[in-house]
Amino acid sequence: MTVLPAFDRHRPASLAGATELLETYGEDAVVYAGGTELFLLFKLGFAEYPHLIDLKGIGDLFGIERRDGELRIGAAETHRSIERHPLVREQWGSLATMERGVGNLRVRTMGSIGGNLCFGDPHSDPATYLLAAGARLEARRGADERREIPLASFTTGPFENALVDGELLAGVLVPAPAPGAAIVHRKFVLTERPAITVAAHLRRDGSRLADVRLAVGSAGNRPSRVERAEVLLNGREADDLEGALAEVADLAADAADPVEDANGSVDYKRHLVGVIAGRTLREALAESRGA
Ligand SMILES: Cc1cc2nc3c(=O)[nH]c(=O)nc-3n(C[C@H](O)[C@H](O)[C@H](O)COP(=O)(O)OP(=O)(O)OC[C@H]3O[C@@H](n4cnc5c(N)ncnc54)[C@H](O)[C@@H]3O)c2cc1C
């Protein structure tokens, strides 16, 4: 049996309470929501904190609702609650599908979307999907300080994020899909967590491709947009997507910047990223409708 190191658990009821605890205990404290990552680290002996701050009593970190036309998801909402929410299923269907593919039922029932993004494990489905969806993040510090962070600037490296001391991730803001637009998320999994993730957003403007956003992740240290492929594809005749896919595959592999690990070599991952990027774009094109 694994014995966890002793800790005091705090359960603030407000953002102000959480920030106050973080300021009081400094580096001796850590926050958690589902605890699926944090308690794993404790059990493996990789981390130890005398003060644990449970975020699940803070109402501002919950809720799934439409706000000013976009979807606002509280950071402490679980993958399961997002996947099953009627608003998400009806109007952000690709998000529900992506969430349904995260881990297993136990992980989705306990793990939160905020915990996934804050932990910064490169093998993340939501991080790649939300990049292609053009999402922003809402950070809060205490009762009054609020700022928005584009998803592209949030993950600063493996297991690192852009939050500053005392700041919490409070929500995820996902724009409404434009009429006729499609987002497709695909991944390649060898063991538990994804080895490769690719997400593509696009729509058709007449006969041409528009608003192409291609994101790749999990193969390297952090998720990334494939901006050079987006430039190549935006404005291109939709019928000629195939003609661009060989170049897109190379650009996607460059942007993914794979690292060698238990999932495979750099060359193997570069190849897979290219193949999956092509498939994902083809599927997004098939799902999109003309505006
Ligand atoms: C077996 C297994 C399989 C998995 N498979 C997948 C998969 O297929 N795809 C995928 O994307 N993920 C996968 N995961 C990862 C899973 O999605 C995350 O473990 C989960 O979402 C983390 O959420 P949590 O609330 O439990 O995080 P916690 O463990 O509570 O927290 C994680 C980290 O984030 C910080 N944190 C949490 N919430 C906040 C906040 N609001 N503000 C600031 N900091 C915060 C904590 O301090 C901690 O450092 C898997 C995990 C496991 C264990």
Side-chain angles (χ1 to χ4, degrees), residues 31 33-38 79 103 112 115-116 118 124-126 169 192-193:
V31 301
T36 58
E37 301 290 16
L38 207 64
H79 300 292
S112 66
N116 180 299
C118 289
S124 164
D125 285 292
L169 179 61
E192 268 173 348
R193 302 179 190 224

Side-chain angles (χ1 to χ4, degrees), residues 193-244:
R193 302 179 190 224
I196 312 279
T197 43
V198 178
H201 171 282
L202 59 81
R203 67 179 181 86
R204 297 180 198 223
D205 184 3
S207 63
R208 294 181 183 273
L209 298 172
D211 295 338
V212 178
R213 291 193 295 266
L214 181 64
V216 290
S218 306
N221 283 330
R222 46 177 294 211
S224 169
R225 288 265 296 270
V226 192
E227 285 167 7
R228 289 171 62 201
E230 295 172 1
V231 171
L232 184 73
L233 294 173
N234 272 315
R236 192 180 186 94
E237 288 291 333
D239 284 350
D240 190 28
L241 174 68
E242 287 299 323

Side-chain angles (χ1 to χ4, degrees), residues 26-75:
E27 293 190 349
D28 285 342
V30 68
V31 301
Y32 73 97
T36 58
E37 301 290 16
L38 207 64
F39 284 92
L40 199 57
L41 292 185
F42 293 163
K43 283 184 195 163
L44 294 169
F46 292 161
E48 193 177 328
Y49 291 89
H51 296 277
L52 298 194
I53 304 172
D54 179 356
L55 300 177
K56 292 192 289 298
I58 304 177
D60 286 326
L61 303 185
F62 287 92
I64 298 176
E65 62 195 324
R66 183 190 281 279
R67 271 194 202 168
D68 301 327
E70 58 188 6
L71 180 70
R72 195 259 181 196
I73 306 171

Side-chain angles (χ1 to χ4, degrees), residues 87-105:
L87 176 64
V88 180
R89 292 175 89 128
E90 280 160 26
Q91 291 179 39
W92 280 267
S94 60
L95 171 60
T97 306
M98 179 278 293
E99 286 289 12
R100 199 157 44 245
V102 169
N104 54 47
L105 190 56

Side-chain angles (χ1 to χ4, degrees), residues 19-26:
T19 300
E20 203 179 304
L21 284 162
L22 285 168
E23 281 168 357
T24 304
Y25 296 111

